[in-house]
Amino acid sequence: MPADTAASAKFTPRQSAVLAEALRLLVEGGDKALTTSGLARAANCSKESLYKWFGDRDGLLAAMISFQQSKVRTSDRSGERLSAEALREHLEVFARDLLDVLAGDVSLALNRLAIGQSSRDGSKLGKLLLEHGRREIDRRARALIDAGKRSGLLRFADADEAYHTFYGLVVSDLHVRMLLGETGLKDNGRQAQKAVDAFIALHGTQKDSGEAPRASAAR
Amino acid sequence: MPADTAASAKFTPRQSAVLAEALRLLVEGGDKALTTSGLARAANCSKESLYKWFGDRDGLLAAMISFQQSKVRTSDRSGERLSAEALREHLEVFARDLLDVLAGDVSLALNRLAIGQSSRDGSKLGKLLLEHGRREIDRRARALIDAGKRSGLLRFADADEAYHTFYGLVVSDLHVRMLLGETGLKDNGRQAQKAVDAFIALHGTQKDSGEAPRASAAR
DNA sequence: GAAGAACCGTACCGTACGGTACCTATTCCG
DNA sequence: CGGAATAGGTACCGTACGGTACGGTTCTTC
C-alpha cells in the first residue's frame, strides 16, 4: 500500500490515466465524444476493463468527477490573524481562484455533463458535483468570512447568507454564460476586485477607508 | 391559451401545437425524451412534417427556443415617476419575476438543453438563448436602473456593471444549482427582498452607515 | 366536384452506441 | 517453471436514434 496522496488512493495509476484521458475526451468534444469505445481506443485499454472498473457509463462519469475533484486542493492558509488589508487580499485571491476554477475547461465540461444528465438520472451527478466539488471551496470561503467576523472586520447576521451574497457578487451570471458557451469573458482579476469592494462595502465594519478602488472602477 | 397573438406569428397554429408538445416532452424527460419519433407520436404528426417544417433536429430545438420566448412577455410599466419606495418595490418585483422565470421548468429544460449542446454545436443554442431570451428581461432591468439614476435614487458609474451586480445579488448560485437538479430552494420572495436591500445599500443615494432599513424584516 | 397540396401513419435504412463474450498476452507469485 | 490473475484487442448483439420514402387521407381552392 503506497503512501500516496489521497488523490490516487481510490484509483490505481492505470485507472487514473484512463480517467484523465476520459476527461480530455470530454473537454474536447462534450459528452457525445465520451463513448466507451472511444475511450477504450484513446486510452489503450479494453472496454471490458472499463466495465470491470467502473460498472457502467454512469459509474465512469461519477469516477471522473471524483477523480478530478481529488486533484483540486485549495490552499487553506486562513489561520493567520487578519488585518483589514489582509482580509481584502484574501477575499480577492479567493474570488479570483473561484472564477478561475469555474472557468476551467474541465470544470465547465463536468458541469455541462452533470447538467445534461440531471434530467434523466435524478441529478445524481449534480449532487456529486455540488457536494464533493464545492465543499472545499465553500469551507475555505466560510473560514475566511468567519475569520473576518471574529477579527471585527466583517459584520453580518448569517454567515451562510453573507457567503451567498459574496458568491453572487463574484460570479454573477458568469458561470451560466460560460456554461452556455460564451467565450469572451471579462478579466477575472477585475471582476474579483469589484466583487470584494462591494462585499466590504456591504458587510465591512469600518466605513470605507477610501473608496478609491470603487471610484476608479470606470470600465 | 393559444390565441393567435404575436407569439404565433412565426409559426402556424399546428406548428405551435407541435412545439408546445415538444417543450412538454423536453420538460418531462430531458433531451433524451425529445426524439423525432417520440415527438411525432406525441403530437400526432408525421416525422416528415417535422423535417419539412424545421429542417433537422437542431432546427427543431432552435424553433422551440424561439417559440417559448415569443410567449414570454415582460410587463414594462417603467414609465412612471419613481419615489424611493416605488423603486424598491419595482426592484423587488423584478427580482422575484427573474427568479420565478429562471426556476420555471421550461426555462430550466431549455437551458439544460442548450448547455448540453454547447459542446458540440459551437454553442449556437446558447447564443440564441442568451440573446433572445435575456434581451427582454435585461431591457426591463436596465430601464428600471436607469430610471432610478435619473430620479437621483441610485448612484453608479456604469449601468451595465450595476445591473450585473444586481443580477448576482438576486440569483447568486441559485440558477446553476437548479440547473444541476437541486430541488429544495429557498423562498424567492425573501431572496428578492434581501437582494434589493443589498443593492440599495450599495448603490442607493441616501447612504447610511447602518443596515438597510428593512433588512431585519422577515426572519 | 375534382385537381392538388398538405399532412398523417408507418415502414424502412444506415449508423453508432452501451454492454457482453471470447481469446490472447503479460505479469505476479509460489 | 507454471498456473492464476489481470488487462488488452476484437468481434458481436440488441437497440434506438436521425433521417427518408411511400401510400393513404384530409383540406383547400377553383
Side-chain angles (χ1 to χ4, degrees), chain B:
Chain B
M1 47 182 82
D4 43 3
T5 66
S8 28
K10 285 193 63 175
F11 304 109
T12 70
R14 183 75 186 106
Q15 289 167 359
S16 296
V18 170
L19 289 174
E21 187 64 26
L23 284 176
R24 206 187 58 78
L25 285 179
L26 181 68
V27 167
E28 249 184 20
D31 69 340
K32 275 298 191 193
L34 184 64
T35 69
T36 51
S37 316
L39 175 57
R41 204 178 314 119
N44 283 331
C45 75
S46 74
K47 288 173 70 173
E48 199 166 10
S49 301
L50 292 180
Y51 286 101
K52 174 169 194 163
W53 293 333
F54 308 115
D56 57 359
R57 191 173 189 267
D58 284 352
L60 171 67
L61 302 182
M64 288 168 62
I65 290 181
S66 175
F67 169 71
Q68 166 65 13
Q69 288 166 356
S70 71
K71 291 201 316 186
V72 174
R73 278 283 158 263
T74 64
S75 59
D76 197 355
R77 57 199 186 292
S78 73
E80 13 177 329
R81 307 168 37 82
L82 283 181
S83 66
E85 291 73 22
L87 175 64
R88 173 184 290 270
E89 176 64 22
H90 277 129
L91 285 175
E92 260 190 46
V93 170
F94 169 82
R96 215 175 317 124
D97 285 357
L98 175 59
L99 286 173
D100 287 345
V101 166
L102 293 184
D105 22 7
V106 179
S107 164
L108 284 179
L110 282 178
N111 274 279
R112 290 200 184 105
L113 181 69
I115 287 175
Q117 298 272 337
S118 71
S119 327
R120 42 184 184 264
D121 72 343
S123 56
K124 249 181 31 187
L125 288 184
K127 280 196 207 316
L128 220 69
L129 212 53
L130 279 175
E131 288 173 12
H132 292 79
R134 297 255 284 252
R135 188 156 44 195
E136 286 299 314
I137 204 137
D138 281 6
R139 275 196 323 135
R140 178 176 160 199
R142 226 159 264 159
L144 198 51
I145 287 182
D146 278 340
K149 183 175 195 181
R150 248 178 297 127
S151 308
L153 295 169
L154 294 179
R155 179 178 45 118
F156 47 80
D158 184 346
D160 217 56
E161 245 179 60
Y163 172 48
H164 275 88
T165 297
F166 186 45
Y167 191 100
L169 285 171
V170 172
V171 177
S172 187
D173 64 343
L174 287 178
H175 199 189
V176 174
R177 294 187 100 98
M178 292 187 296
L179 286 172
L180 281 169
E182 192 153 305
T183 51
L185 38 71
K186 301 185 178 178
D187 181 22
N188 281 354
R190 172 164 160 56
Q191 170 81 7
Q193 189 178 319
K194 283 192 311 150
V196 171
D197 286 341
F199 184 66
I200 289 183
L202 268 177
H203 288 292
T205 47
Q206 54 253 50
K207 276 221 165 185
D208 51 334
S209 47
E211 282 289 316
R214 32 188 304 218
S216 59
R219 242 194 85 79

